[in-house]
Amino acid sequence: LWKRAPVAFESGWTMVHWQEMGWDLDYIIEQSLKWHISCFNAKSGRVPAEWTETVRLWCCRMGYRLSPRFVDYPAQARPGDTLHLGLWIENSGVAPLYRAYPMVFRLLGARRCVSLVSNASACGWLPGDSVFTCALQLPDSLPQGHYRFQFALCHPQTLLPAVRWASLGTQPDGFLEAGSIEITE
């Protein structure tokens, strides 16, 4: 079921009680990760100070953790061209993303910003590597010039970034900078 729906854990007792009982935190964590934990409810109990860093690292391993490893796209194109893209995304978490957020590509130029919605969705990207290709049609009216090439997983209605990448280079608005592309005549 973990491939289709989140796995939520709730603490039996509290972490302070676990510590008092001498329970093995590392074993508990490894078991939860093996069972593809998406979230954990600690019952508003505090984390023992000695366990804070271990629990912080545990939280970083829960759920999904998407990191683009490679984006293949042309260095230049013309208005109206079809861009053929290839992406390699690593999910270093233990669960997939369960919502169908489309991948949106953005060309950000001095005079124009164009968003192109792909048919790629992160829904179901299991732990490990996902490689996919897509084709995007550039508008015929796209002005020539230099464009920053960015992408994000966006909400399907608003097309605003909805998922934060686990990568350096993510812009404050949630788009990840892939590089640049030159639009020529």
Side-chain angles (χ1 to χ4, degrees):
L1 291 176
W2 70 271
K3 293 179 181 180
R4 296 189 311 271
V7 175
F9 280 77
E10 181 174 339
S11 173
W13 297 282
T14 65
M15 287 190 192
V16 170
H17 182 75
W18 296 358
Q19 186 182 47
E20 290 169 353
M21 297 301 292
W23 293 348
D24 185 345
L25 179 64
D26 292 332
Y27 176 78
I28 293 167
I29 288 172
E30 288 309 311
Q31 288 302 303
S32 74
L33 294 170
K34 183 172 74 174
W35 297 329
H36 305 281
I37 185 173
S38 291
C39 61
F40 177 73
N41 177 352
K43 295 188 176 173
S44 301
R46 72 175 178 82
V47 175
E50 304 82 25
W51 289 4
T52 301
E53 183 61 15
T54 302
V55 170
R56 186 190 70 75
L57 293 172
W58 179 31
C59 291
C60 289
R61 295 176 64 195
M62 289 180 199
Y64 60 86
R65 187 168 175 79
L66 303 176
S67 302
R69 295 296 179 217
F70 184 76
V71 181
D72 182 35
Y73 65 95
Q76 66 181 54
R78 294 188 314 261
D81 278 358
T82 299
L83 293 182
H84 295 277
L85 311 172
L87 284 95
W88 167 22
I89 308 289
E90 179 186 15
N91 180 354
S92 58
V94 295
L97 184 63
Y98 297 104
R99 294 185 126 175
Y101 294 113
M103 183 81 75
V104 175
F105 294 87
R106 181 166 79 176
L107 280 74
L108 189 59
R111 300 181 308 183
R112 185 148 178 215
C113 178
V114 175
S115 293
L116 306 167
V117 182
S118 76
N119 61 355
S121 167
C123 188
W125 288 349
L126 298 177
D129 297 324
S130 293
V131 177
F132 65 93
T133 60
C134 61
L136 301 169
Q137 186 71 38
L138 292 176
D140 291 329
S141 61
L142 187 62
Q144 64 181 335
H146 184 79
Y147 290 82
R148 292 167 50 200
F149 189 62
Q150 305 172 330
F151 60 98
L153 290 167
C154 294
H155 188 280
Q157 279 82 39
T158 66
L159 296 185
L160 295 173
V163 176
R164 196 96 176 127
W165 296 107
S167 299
L168 296 175
T170 302
Q171 304 300 303
D173 66 358
F175 277 86
L176 183 64
E177 191 85 26
S180 61
I181 186 168
E182 197 70 32
I183 303 300
T184 61
E185 286 295 325

